[in-house]
């Protein structure tokens, strides 16, 4: 089996050239697609995090007065109006004890959230915390501050369905480009290999004819590359043998 594989893959110079070029293209394009996918995923995830942070801070700014006044109906209207935001999974406003006073899913009202940051770590109203930063969910919480005093929290979660679809499209296009590059590279290698080995096969045919006693044939020697030089040397050797 090992000899069969070696003969199949490396039996001829032309085959070695085609396989070598195809492997180089496959490895290089695979690395390119992988690097492109990783970079695109990181970039899109960072962009989604920026969107989630901006949305949370916007809600916190507009709802701080309502939260301080405990106008929960007004807070609910603010949160409900955010449902049109693309990729929004949830948005909520919480008091300082972590109780949900407004939520995009009203069934969760008056529930408590236990994983909020420590209020003492809040520097100012621009401070925010990233609780989750994955390809499925970007979860951001930011303080709601009124007149320099924190009055609660705003938490926003954005999904990644659109971003995942874009990433899949980028990966799919990259794979198609990689396959196209491998095919084109292999065809070019086949053309180059055919052009290169044609004169080598010509020398081989002349060699077989000489072994059978025919010394009148000569190998094609046109060109300036090594194969042409080899053919010229081979022809010169036959000429010298014919003069003897």
């Amino acid at each position: 089996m090992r000899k069969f594989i070696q003969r199949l893959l490396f039996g001829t110079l032309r085959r070695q050239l085609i396989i070598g070029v195809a492997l180089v293209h496959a490895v290089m394009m695979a690395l390119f697609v992988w690097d492109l996918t990783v970079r695109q995923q990181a970039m899109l995830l960072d962009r989604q995090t920026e969107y989630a942070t901006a949305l949370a801070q916007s809600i916190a700014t507009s709802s701080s007065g309502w939260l301080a006044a405990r106008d929960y109906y007004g807070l609910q209207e603010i949160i409900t109006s955010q449902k049109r935001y693309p990729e929004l999974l949830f948005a909520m406003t919480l008091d300082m004890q972590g109780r949900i006073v407004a939520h995009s899913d009203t069934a969760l009202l008056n529930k408590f959230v236990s994983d909020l940051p420590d209020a003492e770590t809040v520097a100012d109203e621009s401070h925010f915390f990233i609780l989750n930063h994955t390809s499925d969910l970007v979860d951001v919480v930011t303080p709601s501050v009124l007149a320099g005093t924190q009055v609660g929290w705003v938490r926003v979660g954005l999904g990644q369905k659109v971003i995942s679809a874009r990433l899949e499209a980028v990966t799919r296009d990259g794979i198609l480009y990689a396959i196209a590059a491998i095919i084109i590279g292999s065809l070019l290698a086949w053309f180059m290999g055919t052009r290169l080995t044609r004169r080598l096969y010509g020398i081989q045919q002349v060699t077989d004819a000489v072994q059978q006693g025919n010394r009148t044939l000569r190998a094609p020697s046109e060109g300036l590359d090594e194969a042409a030089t080899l053919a010229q040397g081979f022809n010169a050797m036959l000429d010298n043998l014919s003069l003897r």
Side-chain angles (χ1 to χ4, degrees):
M1 178 62 69
R2 182 178 179 182
K3 292 182 178 180
F4 172 77
I5 294 176
Q6 289 179 345
R7 185 168 62 253
L8 178 65
L9 298 180
F10 309 107
T12 64
L13 182 61
R14 181 189 305 173
R15 196 174 300 164
Q16 293 180 39
L17 181 61
I18 295 173
I19 293 175
V21 172
L23 287 177
V24 169
H25 277 80
V27 173
M28 295 301 295
M29 292 304 297
L31 292 176
F32 172 75
V33 172
W34 174 80
D35 181 70
L36 178 64
T37 302
V38 171
R39 289 177 181 271
Q40 287 289 332
Q41 184 176 17
M43 183 189 70
L44 294 174
L45 191 57
D46 290 341
R47 184 64 57 85
Q48 194 77 330
T49 302
E50 293 175 1
Y51 291 157
T53 303
L55 179 61
Q57 291 178 340
S58 176
I59 296 174
T61 301
S62 60
S63 64
S64 58
W66 303 87
L67 189 57
R70 297 186 179 182
D71 188 344
Y72 300 146
Y73 290 103
L75 289 173
Q76 186 60 46
E77 290 180 359
I78 293 175
I79 294 298
T80 302
S81 65
Q82 308 302 321
K83 290 184 177 181
R84 293 172 294 180
Y85 194 90
E87 297 287 343
L88 181 70
L89 296 180
F90 60 82
M92 68 183 80
T93 304
L94 309 100
D95 59 17
M96 291 301 295
Q97 288 71 41
R99 182 171 64 94
I100 300 174
V101 296
H103 200 290
S104 53
D105 182 1
T106 56
L108 298 177
L109 291 176
N110 296 318
K111 302 289 185 179
F112 283 86
V113 175
S114 59
D115 58 346
L116 290 175
D118 189 352
E120 297 180 356
T121 62
V122 175
D124 51 41
E125 61 272 14
S126 64
H127 202 167
F128 64 91
F129 302 87
I130 300 175
L131 303 183
N132 201 338
H133 186 258
T134 65
S135 58
D136 297 322
L137 172 65
V138 175
D139 188 357
V140 176
V141 62
T142 186
S144 183
V145 179
L146 180 65
T149 301
Q150 183 179 356
V151 293
W153 301 92
V154 171
R155 186 168 179 174
V156 170
L158 296 184
Q160 302 277 48
K161 290 183 179 179
V162 173
I163 289 180
S164 298
R166 292 178 181 175
L167 188 62
E168 289 177 0
V170 170
T171 303
R172 182 175 60 252
D173 292 342
I175 293 175
L176 292 177
Y177 290 145
I179 294 174
I182 293 172
I183 294 175
I184 294 174
S186 299
L187 290 175
L188 290 176
W190 174 82
F191 175 77
M192 295 170 57
T194 300
R195 182 179 177 84
L196 174 64
T197 58
R198 180 175 55 195
R199 282 170 292 180
L200 297 180
Y201 286 137
I203 296 174
Q204 180 65 47
Q205 292 174 357
V206 174
T207 301
D208 295 339
V210 171
Q211 289 179 347
Q212 295 176 4
N214 186 357
R215 296 189 177 184
T216 61
L217 294 179
R218 295 294 182 267
S221 59
E222 65 277 1
L224 301 174
D225 56 11
E226 290 82 354
T229 303
L230 177 62
Q232 292 170 4
F234 184 74
N235 292 337
M237 180 189 67
L238 292 179
D239 293 337
N240 291 332
L241 290 176
S242 300
L243 294 176
R244 296 181 181 180

